[in-house]
Amino acid sequence: MAPSLRLGSTAPDFEAETTAGPIKFHEWIGDSWAILFSHPDDFTPVCTTELGEVARRSEDFKKRGVKVIGLSANGLESHNKWVKDINEYGAQFGPTDVQYPIIADESRKVATLYDMLDEQDATNVDKKGLPLTIRTVFVIDPKKTIRLTISYPASTGRNFDEILRVIDSLQITDKHRIATPVNWKKGDDVIIHASVGPEEAKTLFPQHTTFKPYLRTTPLPSQ
Ligand code: BEZ
């Protein structure tokens, strides 16, 4: 059995067919961040809403240097037909044009590699009875390290504001010796990392406030 993927694991590399042509995953990521996300099945309602939202948020991903790629155990022909429905339905919420690649993982090679298959829910299967993919999200950094994993139930569409919020936190905490508090969003005060001593804190974060020796907040340092 493949070892389970954890935060800090290297995202496994693979080759796959996608709606944007064949890819080698690591090469496709290049120097960007990446979101690999799976949906259970094409032509299903919740998935139709999710993939449209991801298309509408393309500028939000781009400005953070994030590439997005979808995946399900459906074939290319199915994906390509379904994309037309996604765009048509999504238009009521704003211009919707799915340009990001969707992996056609009929063999379930990638889904197995990333442990995305739903082995528990006997109803989450295709016509042949083979398991479909869970709504999974992997956020991968430019070093190809897995930085976030989330699994959602089939009945619940994902919140891409939250995924973007975590990416904002990861990108800022990679740059500075800080952490981000509950419900943090870009522009809010941040927390000084425990490794920063009191004297160092005065220099690095002159505007900080000490609530407790272990809980010090500060405006976000300028870049
Ligand atoms: C949906 O996208 O609506 C869906 C897909 C698979 C199982 C349940 C719901």
Side-chain angles (χ1 to χ4, degrees):
M1 224 175 83
S4 52
L5 298 177
R6 310 245 182 222
L7 301 187
S9 301
T10 298
D13 198 13
F14 58 83
E15 295 185 17
E17 290 298 327
T18 83
T19 49
I23 61 151
K24 292 180 175 168
F25 189 50
H26 282 195
E27 207 172 89
W28 175 81
I29 295 175
D31 295 328
S32 301
W33 287 66
I35 297 176
L36 168 65
F37 74 108
S38 55
H39 64 275
D41 206 1
D42 292 357
F43 299 101
T44 52
V46 176
C47 304
T48 302
T49 66
E50 288 187 317
L51 274 81
E53 175 66 3
V54 172
R56 285 188 298 279
R57 305 301 293 264
S58 63
E59 279 306 309
D60 292 323
F61 296 118
K62 198 172 163 192
K63 70 184 178 204
R64 290 166 173 85
V66 179
K67 288 183 176 176
V68 180
I69 189 162
L71 177 148
S72 75
N74 301 102
L76 270 187
E77 199 183 325
S78 167
H79 283 340
N80 285 325
K81 274 191 191 148
W82 181 44
V83 161
K84 295 191 181 91
D85 285 4
I86 298 170
N87 291 340
E88 192 187 320
Y89 173 77
Q92 64 188 299
F93 305 105
T96 305
D97 183 12
V98 174
Q99 292 283 342
Y100 57 86
I102 308 171
I103 296 168
D105 192 34
E106 272 180 301
S107 71
R108 289 151 172 86
K109 179 184 82 174
V110 181
T112 303
L113 200 59
Y114 277 78
D115 194 16
M116 289 166 155
L117 289 174
D118 193 345
E119 306 284 2
Q120 306 299 328
D121 182 352
T123 66
N124 198 16
V125 292
D126 68 8
K127 288 191 186 100
K128 293 181 194 150
L130 295 172
L132 292 169
T133 39
I134 298 171
R135 283 184 215 289
T136 318
V137 181
F138 287 91
V139 171
I140 299 162
D141 72 14
K143 291 181 181 154
K144 320 296 179 289
T145 302
I146 295 173
R147 303 295 299 275
L148 174 73
T149 62
I150 327 180
S151 297
Y152 290 73
S155 52
T156 308
R158 282 160 279 200
N159 183 331
F160 286 90
D161 284 331
E162 171 59 5
I163 293 161
L164 286 162
R165 191 189 75 87
V166 180
I167 291 171
D168 283 342
S169 172
L170 288 168
Q171 292 185 341
I172 202 81
T173 58
D174 277 359
K175 265 198 195 146
H176 302 281
R177 292 166 69 193
I178 57 167
T180 60
V182 62
N183 296 339
W184 175 88
K185 55 189 186 328
K186 220 170 186 171
D188 290 352
D189 282 2
V190 297
I191 288 172
I192 300 175
H193 195 270
S195 66
V196 179
E199 286 310 310
E200 218 179 351
K202 282 184 204 160
T203 318
L204 290 177
F205 308 105
Q207 295 184 67
H208 78 270
T209 305
T210 302
F211 290 93
K212 298 280 176 189
Y214 62 85
L215 177 48
R216 300 162 295 173
T217 61
T218 178
L220 197 62
S222 55
Q223 308 299 302

